[in-house]
Coordinates of all heavy atoms in Angstrom, one line a residue:
G1 N -6.8 13.8 4.1 CA -8.1 14.0 3.5 C -8.1 14.1 2.0 O -8.9 14.8 1.4
V2 N -7.2 13.3 1.4 CA -7.0 13.3 -0.1 C -7.3 11.9 -0.6 O -6.9 10.9 0.0 CB -5.6 13.7 -0.5 CG1 -5.4 13.5 -2.0 CG2 -5.4 15.2 -0.1
K3 N -8.0 11.8 -1.7 CA -8.3 10.5 -2.3 C -7.2 10.2 -3.3 O -6.8 11.1 -4.1 CB -9.7 10.5 -3.0 CG -10.9 10.4 -2.1 CD -11.2 9.0 -1.8 CE -12.5 8.9 -1.1 NZ -12.9 7.4 -0.8
M4 N -6.8 8.9 -3.4 CA -5.9 8.5 -4.5 C -6.8 8.0 -5.7 O -7.8 7.4 -5.5 CB -5.0 7.4 -4.0 CG -4.1 7.8 -2.8 SD -3.1 9.2 -3.2 CE -2.1 8.6 -4.6
I5 N -6.3 8.4 -6.9 CA -6.9 8.0 -8.1 C -6.1 6.9 -8.8 O -4.9 7.1 -9.0 CB -7.2 9.2 -9.0 CG1 -8.1 10.2 -8.3 CG2 -7.8 8.8 -10.4 CD1 -8.3 11.5 -9.1
M6 N -6.7 5.8 -9.2 CA -6.0 4.7 -9.7 C -5.7 4.9 -11.2 O -6.5 5.7 -11.9 CB -6.9 3.4 -9.5 CG -6.3 2.2 -10.1 SD -4.6 1.8 -9.6 CE -4.9 1.3 -7.9
H7 N -4.7 4.3 -11.8 CA -4.4 4.3 -13.2 C -4.3 2.8 -13.7 O -3.5 2.1 -13.2 CB -3.1 5.0 -13.5 CG -2.8 5.1 -15.0 ND1 -1.6 4.7 -15.5 CD2 -3.6 5.5 -16.0 CE1 -1.7 4.9 -16.8 NE2 -2.8 5.4 -17.1
H8 N -5.1 2.5 -14.7 CA -5.0 1.2 -15.4 C -4.8 1.4 -16.9 O -5.7 1.6 -17.7 CB -6.4 0.4 -15.2 CG -6.6 -0.1 -13.9 ND1 -7.9 -0.5 -13.5 CD2 -5.8 -0.2 -12.8 CE1 -7.9 -0.9 -12.2 NE2 -6.6 -0.7 -11.8
E9 N -3.5 1.4 -17.2 CA -3.2 1.4 -18.7 C -3.3 -0.1 -19.1 O -2.7 -1.0 -18.4 CB -1.8 1.9 -18.9 CG -1.3 1.8 -20.4 CD -2.3 2.5 -21.3 OE1 -2.5 3.7 -21.2 OE2 -2.8 1.8 -22.2
T10 N -4.0 -0.3 -20.2 CA -4.1 -1.7 -20.7 C -3.2 -2.0 -21.9 O -3.1 -3.2 -22.3 CB -5.6 -1.9 -21.2 OG1 -5.8 -1.1 -22.4 CG2 -6.6 -1.5 -20.1
S11 N -2.6 -1.0 -22.5 CA -1.8 -1.1 -23.7 C -2.7 -1.8 -24.8 O -2.2 -2.5 -25.7 CB -0.6 -2.0 -23.5 OG 0.3 -1.9 -24.6
G12 N -4.0 -1.5 -24.8 CA -4.9 -2.1 -25.8 C -5.2 -3.5 -25.6 O -6.0 -4.1 -26.4
S13 N -4.7 -4.2 -24.6 CA -4.9 -5.6 -24.3 C -6.2 -5.8 -23.6 O -6.2 -5.9 -22.3 CB -3.8 -6.2 -23.6 OG -3.9 -7.6 -23.5
T14 N -7.3 -5.8 -24.3 CA -8.7 -5.8 -23.7 C -9.0 -7.1 -23.0 O -9.6 -7.1 -21.9 CB -9.7 -5.5 -24.7 OG1 -9.7 -6.4 -25.8 CG2 -9.5 -4.1 -25.3
R15 N -8.6 -8.2 -23.6 CA -8.9 -9.5 -22.9 C -8.2 -9.6 -21.6 O -8.7 -10.1 -20.6 CB -8.6 -10.6 -23.8 CG -9.4 -10.7 -25.1 CD -9.1 -12.0 -25.9 NE -7.7 -12.1 -26.2 CZ -7.1 -13.2 -26.6 NH1 -7.8 -14.3 -26.9 NH2 -5.8 -13.2 -26.9
N16 N -6.9 -9.2 -21.6 CA -6.1 -9.2 -20.3 C -6.8 -8.4 -19.2 O -6.9 -8.8 -18.1 CB -4.7 -8.7 -20.6 CG -3.9 -8.7 -19.3 OD1 -3.6 -9.8 -18.7 ND2 -3.4 -7.6 -18.9
Y17 N -7.3 -7.2 -19.6 CA -7.9 -6.3 -18.6 C -9.2 -7.0 -18.1 O -9.4 -7.0 -16.9 CB -8.3 -5.0 -19.3 CG -8.6 -3.9 -18.3 CD1 -8.1 -3.9 -17.0 CD2 -9.5 -2.9 -18.7 CE1 -8.5 -2.9 -16.1 CE2 -9.9 -1.9 -17.8 CZ -9.4 -1.9 -16.5 OH -9.7 -0.9 -15.6
E18 N -10.0 -7.6 -19.0 CA -11.2 -8.2 -18.5 C -10.9 -9.4 -17.6 O -11.6 -9.6 -16.6 CB -12.0 -8.7 -19.7 CG -12.7 -7.6 -20.5 CD -13.6 -8.0 -21.6 OE1 -13.8 -9.2 -21.7 OE2 -14.0 -7.2 -22.4
R19 N -9.8 -10.1 -17.8 CA -9.5 -11.2 -16.9 C -9.1 -10.7 -15.5 O -9.3 -11.4 -14.6 CB -8.3 -12.0 -17.5 CG -8.5 -12.9 -18.7 CD -7.4 -13.8 -19.0 NE -6.2 -13.2 -19.3 CZ -5.8 -13.0 -20.6 NH1 -6.6 -13.3 -21.6 NH2 -4.6 -12.4 -20.8
H20 N -8.6 -9.5 -15.5 CA -8.1 -9.0 -14.2 C -9.1 -8.0 -13.5 O -8.8 -7.5 -12.4 CB -6.8 -8.3 -14.4 CG -5.6 -9.3 -14.6 ND1 -5.3 -9.7 -15.9 CD2 -4.8 -9.9 -13.8 CE1 -4.3 -10.5 -15.8 NE2 -3.9 -10.7 -14.6
L21 N -10.2 -7.7 -14.2 CA -11.1 -6.6 -13.7 C -11.5 -6.8 -12.2 O -11.4 -5.9 -11.4 CB -12.3 -6.4 -14.6 CG -12.2 -5.4 -15.7 CD1 -13.5 -5.3 -16.4 CD2 -11.8 -4.0 -15.1
D22 N -12.1 -7.9 -11.9 CA -12.6 -8.1 -10.6 C -11.5 -8.0 -9.5 O -11.6 -7.3 -8.5 CB -13.3 -9.5 -10.4 CG -14.6 -9.5 -11.1 OD1 -15.5 -8.8 -10.6 OD2 -14.8 -10.2 -12.1
T23 N -10.3 -8.6 -9.8 CA -9.2 -8.5 -8.9 C -8.7 -7.1 -8.7 O -8.5 -6.6 -7.6 CB -8.1 -9.4 -9.3 OG1 -8.5 -10.7 -9.4 CG2 -6.9 -9.3 -8.4
A24 N -8.7 -6.4 -9.9 CA -8.2 -5.0 -9.9 C -9.2 -4.1 -9.1 O -8.7 -3.2 -8.3 CB -8.0 -4.5 -11.3
F25 N -10.5 -4.2 -9.3 CA -11.4 -3.4 -8.6 C -11.5 -3.7 -7.1 O -11.7 -2.9 -6.3 CB -12.8 -3.5 -9.3 CG -12.9 -2.9 -10.6 CD1 -13.9 -3.2 -11.5 CD2 -12.0 -1.9 -11.0 CE1 -14.0 -2.6 -12.8 CE2 -12.1 -1.3 -12.2 CZ -13.1 -1.6 -13.1
Q26 N -11.3 -5.0 -6.8 CA -11.3 -5.4 -5.4 C -10.1 -4.7 -4.7 O -10.2 -4.3 -3.5 CB -11.2 -6.9 -5.2 CG -12.5 -7.6 -5.6 CD -12.4 -9.1 -5.9 OE1 -11.3 -9.7 -5.6 NE2 -13.4 -9.7 -6.4
F27 N -9.0 -4.7 -5.4 CA -7.8 -4.0 -4.9 C -8.1 -2.5 -4.7 O -7.7 -2.0 -3.6 CB -6.6 -4.2 -5.9 CG -5.3 -3.6 -5.6 CD1 -4.4 -4.3 -4.8 CD2 -5.0 -2.3 -6.0 CE1 -3.2 -3.7 -4.5 CE2 -3.8 -1.7 -5.7 CZ -2.9 -2.4 -4.9
M28 N -8.8 -1.9 -5.6 CA -9.1 -0.5 -5.4 C -10.0 -0.3 -4.2 O -9.8 0.7 -3.4 CB -9.8 0.0 -6.7 CG -8.9 0.2 -7.9 SD -9.8 0.8 -9.3 CE -10.4 2.4 -8.8
N29 N -11.0 -1.1 -4.0 CA -11.9 -1.0 -2.9 C -11.1 -1.2 -1.6 O -11.3 -0.4 -0.6 CB -13.0 -2.1 -2.9 CG -14.1 -1.8 -3.9 OD1 -14.9 -2.7 -4.3 ND2 -14.2 -0.6 -4.4
K30 N -10.2 -2.1 -1.6 CA -9.4 -2.3 -0.3 C -8.6 -1.1 0.1 O -8.5 -0.8 1.3 CB -8.4 -3.5 -0.6 CG -7.5 -3.8 0.6 CD -6.6 -5.0 0.3 CE -5.7 -5.3 1.5 NZ -4.8 -6.5 1.2
Y31 N -8.0 -0.4 -0.9 CA -7.2 0.8 -0.6 C -7.9 2.1 -0.9 O -7.2 3.1 -1.0 CB -5.9 0.6 -1.4 CG -5.0 -0.5 -1.0 CD1 -4.9 -1.7 -1.7 CD2 -4.3 -0.4 0.3 CE1 -4.1 -2.7 -1.3 CE2 -3.6 -1.5 0.7 CZ -3.4 -2.6 -0.1 OH -2.7 -3.7 0.4
D32 N -9.2 2.1 -1.0 CA -10.0 3.3 -1.0 C -9.8 4.1 -2.2 O -9.9 5.4 -2.2 CB -9.7 4.1 0.3 CG -10.9 5.1 0.6 OD1 -12.0 4.8 0.2 OD2 -10.6 6.1 1.2
Y33 N -9.6 3.5 -3.4 CA -9.6 4.2 -4.7 C -11.0 4.2 -5.2 O -11.5 3.1 -5.4 CB -8.6 3.6 -5.7 CG -7.2 3.7 -5.4 CD1 -6.5 2.8 -4.5 CD2 -6.4 4.6 -6.1 CE1 -5.1 2.9 -4.3 CE2 -5.0 4.7 -5.9 CZ -4.4 3.8 -5.0 OH -3.0 3.9 -4.8
D34 N -11.6 5.3 -5.4 CA -13.0 5.3 -5.9 C -13.1 5.7 -7.4 O -14.2 5.9 -7.9 CB -14.0 6.0 -5.0 CG -13.6 7.5 -4.9 OD1 -12.7 8.0 -5.6 OD2 -14.2 8.2 -4.0
A35 N -12.0 6.0 -8.0 CA -12.0 6.4 -9.4 C -10.7 5.8 -10.1 O -9.7 5.7 -9.5 CB -12.0 7.9 -9.6
V36 N -10.9 5.5 -11.4 CA -9.7 4.9 -12.2 C -9.7 5.6 -13.5 O -10.7 5.8 -14.2 CB -9.8 3.4 -12.3 CG1 -11.1 3.0 -12.9 CG2 -8.6 2.9 -13.0
K37 N -8.5 6.0 -13.9 CA -8.2 6.4 -15.3 C -7.8 5.2 -16.1 O -6.7 4.6 -15.8 CB -7.2 7.5 -15.3 CG -6.7 7.9 -16.7 CD -5.6 8.9 -16.6 CE -5.0 9.3 -18.0 NZ -3.9 10.3 -17.9
T38 N -8.5 4.8 -17.1 CA -8.1 3.6 -17.9 C -7.5 4.2 -19.2 O -7.7 5.3 -19.6 CB -9.3 2.8 -18.3 OG1 -10.3 3.5 -19.0 CG2 -10.0 2.2 -17.1
G39 N -6.6 3.4 -19.8 CA -5.9 3.8 -21.0 C -5.9 2.6 -22.0 O -5.8 1.5 -21.6
Y40 N -5.9 3.0 -23.3 CA -5.9 2.0 -24.4 C -4.9 2.4 -25.5 O -5.2 2.5 -26.6 CB -7.3 1.8 -25.0 CG -8.3 1.2 -24.0 CD1 -9.0 2.0 -23.1 CD2 -8.4 -0.2 -23.9 CE1 -9.9 1.5 -22.2 CE2 -9.3 -0.7 -22.9 CZ -10.0 0.1 -22.1 OH -10.9 -0.4 -21.2
V41 N -3.7 2.8 -25.0 CA -2.6 3.3 -25.9 C -2.2 2.1 -26.8 O -1.9 1.0 -26.3 CB -1.5 3.9 -25.2 CG1 -0.4 4.2 -26.1 CG2 -1.9 5.1 -24.4
G42 N -2.0 2.3 -28.1 CA -1.5 1.3 -29.0 C -2.6 0.5 -29.7 O -3.8 0.7 -29.5

């Protein structure tokens, strides 16, 4: 009865994240992650 929370560190690479967003969010939907912590370190 516990939800997993996703983590998406981008290392500041915004274009790379945008290229992968749909695939990453579809992956989250498949494995029942309904929240993500994003990061922009660097």
Side-chain angles (χ1 to χ4, degrees):
V2 172
K3 284 275 191 179
M4 297 304 298
I5 298 175
M6 178 56 71
H7 181 234
H8 288 166
E9 176 56 57
T10 69
S11 192
S13 183
T14 57
R15 295 185 306 168
N16 179 61
Y17 194 32
E18 289 183 10
R19 286 195 297 265
H20 289 87
L21 264 184
D22 284 294
T23 301
F25 287 162
Q26 289 163 8
F27 180 89
M28 287 179 62
N29 285 166
K30 178 180 179 180
Y31 291 107
D32 202 26
Y33 290 81
D34 58 12
V36 58
K37 173 183 175 181
T38 61
Y40 295 87
V41 175

